[in-house]
Amino acid sequence: MILKELKIETFVGTPTNCYIILDEKSNEIMCIDPAGNVDAIEYMIKNILKGELKYIYLTHCHGDHIGGVTELKNRCGGKILIHRDDSEGLNNKDINLSTIIEMGKIELEPDSRIDDEDLIHLGNLEFKVIHTPGHTKGSTSLYCEKEKCLFSGDTIFSGTWGRTDLPTSSREDIMNSISKKLLKLPDETIVYPGHGKSTRIGDEKTIYIDLKPKLW
C-alpha cells in the first residue's frame, strides 16, 4: 500500500486531511475525503501514483470533507461511497453546513450507500467499514487490518474527539463509538484523522479511561 496525504485548506480554519491510497498490484486508488484543491488530487492520482481512481470514500457529509467530490469524479471517475445515514446530508445544506462554512451549496448523490462492517476491496487490500456515529449520525471509520491503520474522519483525533454540537451529532454516541469500537482495535493501529496529526490507538486509550466518569 502506498499512502499519500494532502492538507486541503477550507474556510473551517484547520486543513482537512485528504488521503489517497494506492494498491500497487492492481493499480487501484481510493481517495478519502477530497475537500477541495482537485488540481493537486488529480495530479497525485495521474502523475505521481499513476493509478486508476476506484473509490471516493466520504467519512461523513460535512462540507469541509466533500467540497471537491463532484469535480474529482468528473475528472477521474470513481464511485462515491458514504454511510446511508449520512447520504441525505449530501443534499441538505443544513446538515452538511456547506453554506455556513462558505463553501457554497453542495449537492451530491452517492453511487453506493455503505453500512457497518461492509468490506471495501482495493486490489488485495481490504478495508472494513466501522459505523462510528457521534460527529454525525452516519460518520464512519475505515480500518485496514493488514496495514494496521484506521481512517477515522472527525470521530477521533490526537488527544481529543470530534465536535458534537452540530446537526445529527451526539456526545453520547461519539463516546460509545470510540470506547466500544475504535479503542478495541490493536494498540499499534495508526489513526489517520480528518484533521491534524496522526496518532495510535494505544496512545489515545488513557484519555478515555481517565475521563470516562465525567463523560458518560
Side-chain angles (χ1 to χ4, degrees):
M1 182 180 91
I2 295 178
L3 172 64
K4 299 293 185 180
E5 176 184 340
L6 296 175
K7 299 245 179 223
I8 298 178
E9 298 288 344
T10 70
F11 285 95
V12 170
T14 304
T16 299
N17 296 333
C18 170
Y19 300 102
I20 304 171
I21 302 165
L22 171 73
D23 174 70
E24 297 166 273
K25 292 185 178 180
S26 66
N27 226 32
E28 293 177 342
I29 290 174
M30 175 164 55
C31 181
I32 300 176
D33 291 349
N37 196 1
V38 177
D39 286 343
I41 299 174
E42 181 184 24
Y43 185 83
M44 182 66 69
I45 291 171
K46 293 182 177 179
N47 299 96
I48 304 298
L49 299 178
K50 298 180 180 180
E52 179 181 352
L53 184 60
K54 185 177 183 180
Y55 297 123
I56 300 171
Y57 187 92
L58 306 178
T59 60
H60 62 291
C61 66
H62 284 159
D64 61 323
H65 288 253
I66 67 174
V69 172
T70 299
E71 188 176 355
L72 179 61
K73 183 177 177 67
N74 288 340
R75 293 191 193 185
C76 300
K79 293 183 177 180
I80 302 169
L81 309 180
I82 193 168
H83 192 275
R84 65 179 62 254
D85 288 347
D86 258 24
S87 61
E88 66 176 287
L90 294 179
N91 285 304
N92 188 331
K93 62 181 177 59
D94 295 325
I95 295 177
N96 65 42
L97 308 176
S98 57
T99 55
I100 293 175
I101 58 178
E102 299 184 41
M103 299 196 69
K105 188 177 181 180
I106 299 174
E107 292 186 351
L108 299 172
E109 281 297 331
D111 293 291
S112 294
R113 292 166 174 81
I114 55 175
D115 292 297
D116 189 40
E117 299 191 353
D118 279 356
L119 299 176
I120 296 171
H121 293 94
L122 196 69
N124 292 324
L125 296 173
E126 182 177 89
F127 297 85
K128 182 179 180 180
V129 174
I130 305 175
H131 184 207
T132 47
H135 183 61
T136 64
K137 67 178 180 179
S139 287
T140 58
S141 299
L142 201 56
Y143 175 57
C144 182
E145 182 178 11
K146 180 181 179 181
E147 297 292 337
K148 300 179 180 179
C149 65
L150 176 81
F151 299 90
S152 65
D154 286 3
T155 297
I156 189 171
F157 301 108
S158 176
T160 189
W161 53 89
R163 288 179 60 174
T164 58
D165 58 341
L166 302 171
T168 81
S169 67
S170 164
R171 185 186 183 95
E172 180 179 1
D173 284 350
I174 204 169
M175 292 303 164
N176 283 330
S177 292
I178 292 170
S179 63
K180 295 180 179 180
K181 294 184 177 182
L182 300 187
L183 296 188
K184 293 185 181 299
L185 298 175
D187 284 355
E188 65 270 20
T189 303
I190 301 172
V191 179
Y192 295 104
H195 306 273
K197 63 181 182 179
S198 61
T199 183
R200 293 188 313 148
I201 289 293
D203 295 332
E204 301 305 310
K205 278 187 174 179
T206 55
I207 296 171
Y208 299 92
I209 292 172
D210 293 343
L211 293 181
K212 187 172 181 179
K214 303 175 183 177
L215 296 173
W216 279 266

